[in-house]
Amino acid sequence: MDAFRASTCDGNPPDVKSPLLSNSFSPGFLPIAFSAALVTSALDAAPSAPVDKLSFFFEKHCYECHDDLTTKAGLDLYSLSTDLSDPESFAKWERIYDRIQNGEMPPRNRPNPATGEKRIFSDILSLPLAQAHAARKGTVLRRLNNQEYENTINDLLGIRLNLAETLPEDGRAQGFDTVGEALGISLIQMQRYLEAANEALDAAIAKTTAPPERTTVVATYPETRGAEKFLGDSWLKAPDGAVVFFREIGYPTGMLREAEAKTAGYYRIKITGYAYQSDKPVIFSVGGTSFARGSKKPRWGYFSLPPGKPTSVELHVWMDERFMVEITPKGIYDQQNLIRQEGIANYKGPGLAISSVELEGPIVHEFPTRGHQLIFEGIERKEVEPSNPDQKTKPWYVPEFEVITADPTGTVVPALTRFASAAFRREVDEEAIAPYVILFQGELTKGFPFEEAYRTALAAILCSPEFLYLREPEGRLDDNALAARLSYFLNRTLPDDGLKSAAAEKLLTTSPEALRSHADRLMASVHFARFIKDFTDGWLDLRDIEFTSPDLYTFNM
């Protein structure tokens, strides 16, 4: 655990202030000047090796073997560079220092330096070596990479957005995207951060006064729209009404239109069926598909159904709006094209029979979201009643809300302090949020209502270097920095309540047992799967595995 306690910034880096936003910043618009700086620690220029002060020692013990004529072991002390900022020169001077201190030089067949001589040598050379080392070991502040950014936003606000794929690709060093020097930033990236912040706030803030209605739909392939075109040709309708798939084909797919998520959220999917004309279970994948152009096709898992009576498998997944369930058989093929030659009714190969697909949801675990609660705790937000009360019964009705307060600044200061503390992964004071309060007041002055002005300040917090970078103190890590390192290492996201409580009590820096206990807890968390995925992606380059996978049909695997 000692590795976590070592600070990444032992120098004294200049402070990175919160961004200054222009008066043109408002929801939907970019600030004129908005950038985050990569900061490196820098001391004064590294000193030189004091050869003149060491000449007495070299004359007596070293020059005989290491002058410009003899150069034993390739060392010429006359021509050795004294520039300790040069890594090669520094390494040579460091080795000279170590070998004399350890008694390795001069060699045993030569007179050893007196104790006083060695002490004087050490006192003269140790300080410039230490200063040169300190000047070189500062590091770049590390930005959250795209996946960490997505995890952090989603976990902070209790939402599920695919933000990483909308950001410019992260740089990598030795295959990993967690190296500060490789994680640059650009104006395009800042624009995307701002857009992502507004998108996240939209998703987190409740637009209704009640959660979406939870419904259950039971869908079957014979009744799906367009099934008549495929039954008897690509699909076989079994005597019990199930539809049998005999192979993985591009068209028609196993998309089931009626098993569609009308609203984004968590859903329970229950698939009932059996292995057809097979004495072994048949494997299939369950995923999602959409008609939206360019949309990804998530794969939620692989399952199998045994032969005999119909059985069911269940899974709980997140489904984006308008995504449909798609079932695809795996490992069964009509390699001799017998279905086309003899007809699907006469085909004797194994198949996957699907009786029904049950879709239940959206399953709401919390309403409103934790992000909504974080944003509006202590703020009176009410629905604006429409002029005609009957409008609320119409399916097209969308509520409007307003914040009721006689003291906007007095109301927003504790709210921004609470939100910034959560986003910045440490407790902040009113001085730290002053730029965001000024931004809020400026938006009010321009005529924006409270909630829009408040959202502008929240978006600025989510674009601040305090949020986008892992800020750490000089020297030894404090508890907040240690909590952030541990959490981003093992769970790839911001610290949870347990870690924040331990940091507030300063247990992480004072109790090795507490630190180990929290490490064990994070490794037992469901989020530890993120570490496994991200680490193996970088270590084994698994992110590109689909580019090298052989075609199963072509190679009959």
Side-chain angles (χ1 to χ4, degrees), residues 221-232:
Y221 283 100
E223 297 175 353
T224 191
R225 189 169 43 153
E228 64 278 0
K229 295 186 296 183
F230 312 127
L231 290 172

Side-chain angles (χ1 to χ4, degrees), residues 8 35 113 174 308 325 439 451:
T8 60
S35 64
Q174 290 80 50
V325 174
L439 179 60
E451 186 167 329

